[in-house]
Amino acid sequence: MTTDEKLQHFYDISIESAQEDAKKLLDTHEAALEKTFEEHKETKHRQAEAELTAESDKLKRDFNKEVSTQQIQIKRKFSAVTEELREKLFQEVAEKLERFKESPDYLSMLCRQIKEALDFADGDEMVVYIDPSDAGLSDEIVRRLDQKGFAPTISKEPFMGGMRAVIRSKNILIDNSFLTLMNDEKENFHLEV
């Protein structure tokens, strides 16, 4: 082999060896870049999922907050309408009670309530009060009950009708006044929906 051939052979082997080393280095570098790229993709994917979860949670909280606000507003409106209906209902009841007071049944009811109170007192001293608006019925009540020495007392405070009686010796108040009965009903009234 001539020197030129030997040099050519040496050159070819050197180039081939350098190309193999370069290819290995390039493959190693490419593998490292590929690994870094995959890690970067995974990190970005996790970040995107975390952001998506956080945004989803925020939207749920905002939605729940809005729903809660709407529920409170609906409850307030419902409560206002309920109160308005309640007041209207009891206004109608008060008007009907006023009309009832003009009927003969009212006087009969009043006499019955007073008679029951007198029977309950069983001879103990009792003061029977009637509403100031019923002062004109006083004589008729006395006539109908026909109780010796009995006369109802006209109350200084109006109570819409009915009667109240006090038996001081027993510390008993009998309250059949329309005002008390209506207030009790108002307190216990619940509108069923």
Side-chain angles (χ1 to χ4, degrees):
M1 226 198 241
T2 64
T3 308
D4 282 338
E5 289 175 342
K6 286 182 185 181
L7 277 174
Q8 185 61 43
H9 180 66
F10 177 72
Y11 176 76
D12 290 340
I13 290 176
S14 295
I15 292 292
E16 193 178 300
S17 175
Q19 284 177 340
E20 285 177 16
D21 287 347
K23 185 173 180 340
K24 286 180 187 175
L25 190 60
L26 190 60
D27 288 346
T28 303
H29 186 65
E30 192 176 293
L33 284 175
E34 187 66 35
K35 183 180 177 188
T36 303
F37 178 66
E38 287 301 320
E39 288 174 356
H40 178 73
K41 275 184 7 183
E42 285 179 24
T43 301
K44 287 298 180 184
H45 184 69
R46 280 194 304 273
Q47 285 175 347
E49 283 182 356
E51 287 176 16
L52 183 63
T53 301
E55 189 62 28
S56 176
D57 290 346
K58 181 183 179 297
L59 288 173
K60 285 178 186 175
R61 282 191 307 275
D62 290 348
F63 176 76
N64 289 339
K65 184 179 177 183
E66 183 64 28
V67 167
S68 178
T69 301
Q70 291 296 325
Q71 285 176 334
I72 289 170
Q73 289 176 352
I74 289 169
K75 284 180 183 178
R76 283 182 182 150
K77 287 178 184 176
F78 179 75
S79 181
V81 168
T82 300
E83 186 60 31
E84 182 181 326
L85 289 174
R86 183 175 180 253
E87 289 303 316
K88 198 175 203 179
L89 173 70
F90 282 99
Q91 181 63 37
E92 286 181 29
V93 169
E95 291 169 5
K96 286 186 179 192
L97 285 173
E98 280 300 315
R99 284 194 301 273
F100 174 68
K101 285 177 66 174
E102 296 170 7
S103 75
D105 291 337
Y106 175 68
L107 181 60
S108 298
M109 181 207 72
L110 204 54
C111 289
R112 187 183 76 253
Q113 288 178 344
I114 294 170
K115 174 82 169 99
E116 288 170 0
L118 288 168
D119 291 345
F120 179 79
D122 196 27
D124 287 340
E125 184 181 326
M126 178 174 70
V127 178
V128 174
Y129 295 96
I130 60 173
D131 190 75
S133 65
D134 296 333
L137 302 175
S138 182
D139 292 339
E140 183 62 21
I141 292 170
V142 170
R143 188 188 68 70
R144 284 192 183 191
L145 291 176
D146 195 27
Q147 295 278 333
K148 192 174 188 180
F150 170 76
T153 303
I154 308 301
S155 174
K156 292 178 184 171
E157 295 180 27
F159 47 82
M160 294 177 63
M163 58 77 71
R164 290 179 175 161
V166 176
I167 306 171
R168 295 198 197 298
S169 63
K170 295 180 181 176
N171 287 331
I172 294 177
L173 169 66
I174 300 170
D175 191 348
N176 290 324
S177 67
F178 289 172
L179 180 65
T180 299
L181 294 172
M182 185 119 90
N183 286 340
D184 288 348
E185 284 302 315
K186 274 184 181 181
E187 190 174 309
N188 297 320
F189 180 77
H190 298 286
L191 184 64
E192 296 290 327
V193 182

